[in-house]
Amino acid sequence: MYRIGIDFGGTNIAVGLTDENLKILFKASLPTLMGKRSVDDMVADMAALCTQLVHRANATFAEVLSIGIASPGVVNSETGTVEYYCGMDLKNYPMADILSEKLGGFRPVYMANDANAAALGEVLAGAAKGAKTALMITLGTGVGGGIVIDRKIYEGFNFAAAELGHTVIEKDGVPCSCGRRGCWEKYSSATGLIRMTKEKMEERRDSALWSVAPSLEKVDGRTAYTAAKQGDPAAKEVVRQYEDYLAVGLANMVNIFQPEVLCIGGGVCGEGDTLLKPVNTQVMAEQYAKTSARKTKLVIASLGNDAGIVGAAALGASR
Amino acid sequence: MYRIGIDFGGTNIAVGLTDENLKILFKASLPTLMGKRSVDDMVADMAALCTQLVHRANATFAEVLSIGIASPGVVNSETGTVEYYCGMDLKNYPMADILSEKLGGFRPVYMANDANAAALGEVLAGAAKGAKTALMITLGTGVGGGIVIDRKIYEGFNFAAAELGHTVIEKDGVPCSCGRRGCWEKYSSATGLIRMTKEKMEERRDSALWSVAPSLEKVDGRTAYTAAKQGDPAAKEVVRQYEDYLAVGLANMVNIFQPEVLCIGGGVCGEGDTLLKPVNTQVMAEQYAKTSARKTKLVIASLGNDAGIVGAAALGASR
């Protein structure tokens, strides 16, 4: 038997057919073409990709246990509706039902917010496998969050919970697009790291950061780590500053949830232990349950770009 | 049928016999005498108080559905053990079993951390009644937290979760006893309000705060609110500052949990709507789910000093 996971992303609609252990057997994708066509057309592409993959496995839909969609925005997982997604001006769009229709009435079709689905994917088939409670923090353009309690996604009473990146860790700090100031994501996202790198470069004209990125426009999430590995003091300061903010936010999450596993993902985590070790040391020093024999395990997410697909496929498995 | 709730406090051991709806019928208490006697002796007093109340109700223990103990510290609710409580240097103390023994083998005896129990009490019989998910924030000497999800206490995998007051909201801010800097409780506890009041008084020698509290030693959690009501500008600044920090921390919790009800308790909440209204306005403006039709309801806790008793009695009801 199979499951299907659909990652409805801003750039691509990626679909995967998995086995019962959520291992991806076949994958296919099409460009989302956001802003260029109706969402109904995008759902038609989802249906086409599902059909294509089922055929590729020489299977039939009768052998598919569930289809799941991971979507951005506020997703009502009970009704399978995108309640709100500003990126496409979606409001109360019954995506699960529409996909079901386009697949000749196939059921069940589940839905969840993409960050939440990714968290579930890591718990059921990734770096947090086996954990009953886990958090997933994605360090990307922003800081995304997913909460898994008792192997189920925690969504809050209005399906809008887990905006972990929009917790203020520096009151009256850097303005955030959400309207607040000092949100964690302004410091711990890749965007935050890039900002800190640029600020340091402007302050330190002599830094080797300038040889890694010859102009401010060339700065990315790797610039500071690359220069720090070359021994540049200014770059080391940026890395320390970035990891300090990250650890403060992560320690907040540990003090709130004491999850079995705290999973961090996103491009910055490509640094691996270089990032993980000092951050873990600080989180363990700052977290409240120092006396407890059981401490939260900090790990790097393992599903990478497949997190959405696996998480969406996992939705049917966590019911 | 009845339930019994025991609030194992630093000053008093308070016990209540409730009906099945968690309404307290009889109450009794004895001083804890912490530091002056063994914890076994304290548990003997708990047993004596339980027996006394059962007699007072002309009942027998066969009519008691459950006994619950709300205790400070890290409480393992599965084993009924105080894993750690620094206030009494307790380590892995099997309080539930010992109480059971002293009551001739009465079962079940449940345990929970006191802040968690209070949260459950508010959900099952207090200001958050009917909510499936709720948070309880107590503004006292510190900022205590309790998380209720699906009408059950959320404790984390090591029973040490919900240290909501130990989340940093001002990085590198006021040093906290936990070792971190800028914890929410340094700003939003009664202690934080008193500190802010004193700081303002030293800055503004002309303020009417000095007529409400003739010396800094006389400042308490009401000083600023009293002077603000008299129109004193400096006092109003203190109140605004206090409520600003409180709202920032509460909005963080809403963004994380999107609970149906967010319950605030503790002495400062005696200010009622004077405190609640401006804080609610700011929380709603800062929280992320502005587009959602369903918004977290911010309320003031209703159980007051009975929260521990009712919460402890509620432990048996939430299984």
Side-chain angles (χ1 to χ4, degrees):
Chain A
M1 301 294 272
Y2 306 95
R3 294 191 188 277
I4 292 175
I6 302 172
D7 184 4
F8 179 42
T11 310
N12 288 302
I13 297 167
V15 181
L17 183 87
T18 78
D19 64 15
E20 289 185 52
N21 299 317
L22 304 172
K23 189 174 167 291
I24 297 176
L25 305 173
F26 299 102
K27 264 199 292 193
S29 70
L30 285 167
T32 309
L33 303 176
M34 195 169 283
K36 292 182 184 144
R37 55 178 182 161
S38 75
V39 61
D40 277 357
D41 288 350
M42 298 172 193
V43 178
D45 273 0
M46 291 180 196
L49 289 166
C50 289
T51 307
Q52 181 189 321
L53 292 183
V54 168
H55 288 171
R56 214 191 293 175
N58 287 319
T60 67
F61 276 97
E63 293 164 82
V64 176
L65 291 165
S66 68
I67 296 177
I69 310 170
S71 165
V74 176
V75 176
N76 185 325
S77 62
E78 280 168 20
T79 57
T81 303
V82 180
E83 290 203 346
Y84 180 75
Y85 172 44
C86 61
M88 290 185 56
D89 202 22
L90 284 186
K91 266 196 157 176
N92 297 317
Y93 180 77
M95 191 175 280
D97 278 353
I98 290 170
L99 177 64
S100 174
E101 240 171 61
K102 291 190 193 293
L103 287 170
F106 177 90
R107 302 239 172 229
V109 179
Y110 298 113
M111 285 202 74
N113 166 276
D114 48 7
N116 291 345
L120 183 66
E122 292 289 345
V123 165
L124 294 185
K129 196 167 174 176
K132 270 184 72 181
T133 57
L135 296 187
M136 165 83 182
I137 314 281
T138 306
L139 312 172
T141 313
V143 170
I147 303 166
V148 175
I149 294 175
D150 280 339
R151 296 205 172 90
K152 288 191 174 64
I153 293 171
Y154 174 80
E155 299 172 308
F157 88 116
N158 56 7
F159 306 97
E163 288 293 349
L164 309 182
H166 293 286
T167 52
V168 167
I169 64 167
E170 186 155 280
K171 191 170 173 298
D172 303 320
V174 178
C176 183
S177 58
C178 77
R180 308 185 79 189
R181 296 185 72 108
C183 280
W184 185 22
E185 83 163 30
K186 296 314 287 181
Y187 306 93
S188 294
S189 59
T191 320
L193 174 55
I194 290 167
R195 176 179 49 76
M196 289 173 190
T197 307
K198 288 180 180 173
E199 282 169 5
K200 186 63 75 180
M201 286 169 75
E202 291 192 316
E203 187 191 312
R204 304 271 278 274
R205 290 276 151 193
D206 59 331
S207 160
L209 285 163
W210 286 102
S211 63
V212 178
S215 72
L216 291 179
E217 293 70 46
K218 293 274 163 68
V219 172
D220 64 23
R222 281 178 303 271
T223 307
Y225 276 93
T226 305
K229 275 170 206 155
Q230 293 169 5
D232 180 62
K236 284 182 183 173
E237 284 169 32
V238 174
V239 164
R240 186 76 280 277
Q241 181 190 14
Y242 176 74
E243 293 175 352
D244 182 24
Y245 277 100
L246 179 57
V248 164
L250 292 173
N252 281 356
M253 293 306 139
V254 173
N255 283 350
I256 294 169
F257 288 102
Q258 291 289 341
E260 208 169 328
V261 178
L262 207 176
C263 205
I264 56 174
V268 185
C269 293
E271 299 299 333
D273 278 354
T274 307
L275 172 109
L276 190 65
K277 281 193 173 173
V279 168
N280 187 55
T281 302
Q282 187 176 339
V283 170
M284 288 305 127
E286 289 204 19
Q287 68 114 1
Y288 201 76
K290 295 178 193 73
T291 57
S292 176
R294 286 150 297 172
K295 307 241 174 15
T296 296
K297 223 171 111 186
L298 194 59
V299 300
I300 287 178
S302 66
L303 298 177
N305 288 334
D306 290 335
I309 290 176
V310 175
L315 293 173
S318 85
R319 291 270 146 173
Chain B
M1 301 294 273
Y2 306 96
R3 293 191 189 276
I4 292 176
I6 302 173
D7 183 4
F8 180 41
T11 310
N12 288 302
I13 297 165
V15 181
L17 183 88
T18 79
D19 64 15
E20 290 184 54
N21 298 318
L22 303 172
K23 188 173 168 290
I24 297 176
L25 305 173
F26 299 103
K27 263 198 293 193
S29 71
L30 284 168
T32 309
L33 304 175
M34 194 168 285
K36 291 181 183 147
R37 55 176 181 160
S38 74
V39 62
D40 276 357
D41 287 351
M42 297 171 193
V43 178
D45 273 1
M46 291 180 194
L49 288 166
C50 288
T51 307
Q52 182 188 320
L53 291 183
V54 169
H55 288 170
R56 215 193 289 175
N58 287 320
T60 68
F61 276 96
E63 293 165 82
V64 176
L65 291 167
S66 69
I67 296 177
I69 310 171
S71 166
V74 176
V75 176
N76 184 324
S77 62
E78 280 168 20
T79 57
T81 303
V82 182
E83 291 203 346
Y84 180 76
Y85 173 41
C86 61
M88 290 186 56
D89 202 22
L90 285 185
K91 266 198 159 178
N92 297 317
Y93 181 77
M95 191 175 279
D97 278 353
I98 290 172
L99 178 64
S100 174
E101 239 172 63
K102 289 187 195 296
L103 287 171
F106 177 91
R107 301 243 172 224
V109 179
Y110 297 113
M111 285 202 74
N113 165 276
D114 48 7
N116 291 346
L120 183 66
E122 292 290 344
V123 165
L124 293 186
K129 198 167 173 174
K132 269 184 72 182
T133 58
L135 295 188
M136 164 83 182
I137 314 281
T138 306
L139 312 172
T141 313
V143 169
I147 303 166
V148 175
I149 294 174
D150 279 339
R151 296 207 172 88
K152 288 191 175 63
I153 294 171
Y154 174 79
E155 298 172 311
F157 89 116
N158 56 5
F159 307 98
E163 288 293 347
L164 310 181
H166 293 287
T167 51
V168 167
I169 63 168
E170 186 155 278
K171 191 169 173 300
D172 303 320
V174 178
C176 182
S177 58
C178 76
R180 309 185 78 188
R181 295 183 73 109
C183 281
W184 186 21
E185 84 164 29
K186 296 313 290 181
Y187 306 93
S188 294
S189 59
T191 320
L193 174 55
I194 290 166
R195 177 179 50 76
M196 289 172 190
T197 308
K198 287 179 178 174
E199 282 169 4
K200 188 62 77 179
M201 285 169 75
E202 291 191 316
E203 185 192 314
R204 302 273 278 272
R205 291 275 151 191
D206 60 328
S207 159
L209 285 162
W210 287 101
S211 62
V212 178
S215 72
L216 291 179
E217 293 71 44
K218 294 276 163 67
V219 172
D220 63 22
R222 283 178 301 273
T223 307
Y225 276 93
T226 305
K229 275 171 206 153
Q230 292 167 8
D232 180 60
K236 284 182 184 173
E237 284 169 31
V238 175
V239 164
R240 188 76 280 276
Q241 182 190 13
Y242 176 75
E243 292 175 350
D244 183 24
Y245 276 99
L246 179 58
V248 165
L250 292 172
N252 280 355
M253 295 304 140
V254 173
N255 283 350
I256 295 168
F257 288 101
Q258 292 288 342
E260 207 170 328
V261 178
L262 206 176
C263 204
I264 55 174
V268 184
C269 293
E271 299 297 333
D273 278 353
T274 308
L275 171 108
L276 191 64
K277 281 194 173 171
V279 168
N280 187 56
T281 302
Q282 188 177 337
V283 170
M284 288 305 127
E286 289 204 20
Q287 68 115 1
Y288 201 76
K290 296 179 191 72
T291 56
S292 175
R294 288 149 298 169
K295 305 239 174 16
T296 296
K297 224 171 110 184
L298 194 59
V299 301
I300 287 179
S302 66
L303 298 177
N305 288 333
D306 290 335
I309 291 177
V310 175
L315 293 173
S318 84
R319 290 270 149 171

